Amino acid sequence: MEKEQVRLSENKMGIVPVNKLLVSMAWPMILSMLVQAMYNVVDSIFVSRLSENALTAVSLAFPIQIILIAMGTGAGVGMNAILSRALGEKDQKTVNRVAETGVFLALASFVVFLLVGIFFSRPFFLSQTDDMEIVEYGTQYISICCIFSFGIYFELVFERMLQSTGKTIFSMFSQLIGALTNIVLDPILIFGLLGAPKMGVAGAAAATVAGQILAAIVAFVLNHKFNRDVRISLRGIFRPKLDFIVNIYKVGLPSIVMQSIGSVTNYGMNLILIGFTPTATAVFGVYYKIQSIFFMPVLGLNNAMVPIIAFNYGAGKRSRITKTIKLGIIYGIIMMFIGLAIFQTFPDALLLMFDASENMLSIGRVALRIASLSYVFAGFCIVCGAVFQSLGNGVYSLIVSFLRQIVVLLPAAYLLSLTGELAAVWWAIPIAELMSVAVTTIMLIRINRKIISKVPDNV
């Protein structure tokens, strides 16, 4: 027991200089998130070579994918924050039980989406379009992603264990393997290369789940071999305690709901845009894929901040918390400013990656330039979300997300669509983000006054 306490007290999250710690933990996550974003983009690039209807089908599938991933990442956020705090408090028993509960929740989430994939894939697409080619493509794609979702869920939970204990380099390694597997398999399975069957849109889904399953296996092995801060037992996984589930979801549920709100927004925007032309829906899907290249690195920074802040909150080191927040905001804004500059300067080049027609280019260049005006504000809000989550106040992020997407974005997009001008609809995105940054600032001031300022500074 004494050796365990010494090992936990020497965790790098409590002693390494903050800037060095944040950069060292963030860059592997940023790189792996970038690669993940790239393989989502590559999926759509290859699918766009089949037809614009195939690209539209994958775009319409995005709301279900958002919810699928939200279930895993939300539980991961809760597990990450609680596990890191327990490490800071040197509570090994809680560390292990939280990890075991995380594995149980991954299994439960898979069962839910197995049923979604079998019974609800086709009705979902029929609710959006009566173009049967799009319905067939979409049903093939999303049913495979759901039925084999055990890969993404176990990948997320084992990677979160690595991230929570500061071993982000291993997390990066497993994510890279999964992403590269997907990228390599995409053209092989979509177009039937190297003797493989030509699967079309279904091949893109098969490549995705294959990469996720392999990443899950690698993440499990890396935890078993190198993560001595967490020890899980099969018995513990299948005997979950309700209080641990409640505590994980208390922190993670706002993140789940927040991302699920994004699914509702995406679905609503698709319905609004398809009223103009299916090409507008394809543009919206492409925009979401491209924006992930710039949002994912900030989310990687977010993932690095959560365990650092949570650990030092548990260890009572206020100055390390505040420095992490300040540096995170600076880095997040810089990253998103780079995205803004690229979207404003090279919209055509971005769209042509997806074999854009002249009509898609004319719609897309306007959409990308207007939507990206929100990026610097979004960087600030994403980083502040990490602060809220790591201090057990993920509900703040939920409130901001609900106001931005449900109260402002969708109503604004609908009202602007009544002008009959498609270009006007895109302005709903920066309008919503302006509101988001205002509310987020108020929340950050509040959490600083109520929690951060009262943390002792045991440096």
Side-chain angles (χ1 to χ4, degrees):
M1 186 66 177
E2 185 177 339
K3 288 183 179 180
E4 273 185 2
Q5 290 185 345
V6 170
R7 174 168 51 79
L8 290 172
S9 67
E10 293 177 348
N11 190 291
K12 67 179 182 180
M13 289 186 287
I15 57 176
V16 174
V18 174
N19 189 47
K20 180 180 179 182
L21 175 67
L22 181 59
V23 171
S24 67
M25 287 186 63
W27 78 259
M29 293 191 194
I30 290 171
L31 180 58
S32 60
M33 295 289 266
L34 262 176
V35 174
Q36 284 197 49
M38 285 304 301
Y39 83 67
N40 285 329
V41 170
V42 169
D43 262 2
S44 293
I45 288 175
F46 284 121
V47 166
S48 70
R49 267 53 182 181
L50 295 172
S51 69
E52 190 171 293
N53 272 354
L55 180 60
T56 300
V58 172
S59 298
L60 292 177
F62 202 50
I64 287 185
Q65 287 182 292
I66 291 174
I67 297 177
L68 189 154
I69 296 172
M71 292 296 295
T73 56
V77 165
M79 188 182 78
N80 200 343
I82 297 170
L83 197 154
S84 296
R85 188 184 305 174
L87 280 170
E89 295 169 346
K90 305 178 181 66
D91 185 352
Q92 185 67 53
K93 182 178 179 181
T94 297
V95 168
N96 296 339
R97 292 298 284 143
V98 169
E100 289 164 351
T101 305
V103 177
F104 170 80
L105 294 176
L107 181 61
S109 297
F110 158 63
V111 171
V112 170
F113 278 91
L114 171 66
L115 298 175
V116 170
I118 295 172
F119 296 109
F120 297 105
S121 296
R122 188 176 183 83
F124 173 76
F125 281 92
L126 287 171
S127 72
Q128 299 180 85
T129 180
D130 56 4
D131 186 316
M132 295 313 296
E133 184 178 44
I134 294 176
V135 170
E136 291 302 324
Y137 281 147
T139 301
Q140 291 172 28
Y141 183 82
I142 204 62
S143 60
I144 292 173
C145 289
C146 290
I147 291 170
F148 295 94
S149 60
F150 63 87
I152 185 65
Y153 284 123
F154 287 114
E155 175 190 354
L156 285 169
V157 73
F158 288 120
E159 285 175 354
R160 288 292 182 172
M161 289 181 200
L162 294 167
Q163 293 168 9
S164 300
T165 54
K167 297 171 178 62
T168 56
I169 190 71
F170 292 124
S171 174
M172 178 196 72
F173 184 68
S174 64
Q175 289 178 353
L176 284 174
I177 288 178
L180 292 174
T181 299
N182 185 27
I183 290 171
V184 171
L185 289 179
D186 256 333
I188 295 174
L189 298 180
I190 291 173
F191 303 114
L193 306 179
L194 304 177
K198 183 178 181 181
M199 299 174 65
V201 172
T208 296
V209 299
Q212 292 166 351
I213 292 169
L214 182 58
I217 294 170
V218 172
F220 170 77
V221 172
L222 290 174
N223 268 286
H224 182 69
K225 293 287 187 181
F226 302 106
N227 196 352
R228 304 305 179 195
D229 290 320
V230 179
R231 293 184 296 277
I232 59 177
S233 69
L234 193 62
R235 181 179 180 182
I237 292 170
F238 290 100
R239 290 188 177 180
K241 289 190 175 181
L242 182 61
D243 57 336
F244 282 96
I245 294 175
V246 170
N247 288 335
I248 286 174
Y249 279 130
K250 184 179 178 181
V251 178
L253 186 59
S255 179
I256 294 172
V257 176
M258 183 170 58
Q259 292 180 68
S260 298
I261 287 172
S263 174
V264 174
T265 303
N266 197 280
Y267 182 81
M269 287 292 289
N270 283 338
L271 292 179
I272 292 170
L273 293 170
I274 207 167
F276 287 92
T277 168
T279 302
T281 305
V283 166
F284 187 60
V286 165
Y287 163 70
Y288 255 90
K289 298 289 185 179
I290 300 174
Q291 78 157 10
S292 67
I293 296 175
F294 304 100
F295 274 70
M296 284 296 196
V298 185
L299 290 171
L301 176 67
N302 177 302
N303 289 341
M305 290 176 64
V306 168
I308 295 173
I309 294 173
F311 182 97
N312 286 287
Y313 179 44
K317 298 184 178 183
R318 186 180 68 251
S319 61
R320 292 178 66 83
I321 295 173
T322 56
K323 190 166 185 179
T324 302
I325 295 170
K326 290 175 184 177
L327 288 170
I329 290 173
I330 292 170
Y331 292 147
I333 289 175
I334 290 173
M335 289 178 193
M336 294 307 291
F337 183 80
I338 293 171
L340 169 64
I342 292 174
F343 267 71
Q344 294 296 320
T345 309
F346 307 109
D348 284 21
L350 295 173
L351 291 162
L352 286 171
M353 292 191 302
F354 301 86
D355 203 25
S357 63
E358 282 300 320
N359 186 37
M360 190 172 174
L361 281 172
S362 65
I363 294 173
R365 70 171 63 98
V366 174
L368 266 57
R369 282 179 170 150
I370 293 175
S372 63
L373 294 174
S374 64
Y375 277 17
V376 173
F377 301 126
F380 171 79
C381 294
I382 291 172
V383 169
C384 289
V387 180
F388 304 153
Q389 292 162 359
S390 58
L391 296 176
N393 285 264
V395 69
Y396 284 8
S397 297
L398 172 59
I399 292 170
V400 172
S401 183
F402 181 81
L403 291 174
R404 179 172 66 87
Q405 299 188 74
I406 302 299
V407 176
V408 179
L409 178 58
L410 274 183
Y414 174 72
L415 291 174
L416 290 168
S417 72
L418 298 180
T419 66
E421 295 292 330
L422 175 58
V425 177
W426 307 114
W427 282 101
I429 297 174
I431 289 171
E433 205 62 59
L434 279 173
M435 182 285 306
S436 179
V437 76
V439 176
T440 297
T441 300
I442 294 171
M443 298 290 193
L444 184 61
I445 293 170
R446 178 182 175 86
I447 206 168
N448 180 62
R449 185 177 70 251
K450 287 185 169 290
I451 297 179
I452 298 173
S453 63
K454 295 180 181 179
V455 176
D457 207 5
N458 302 320
V459 178

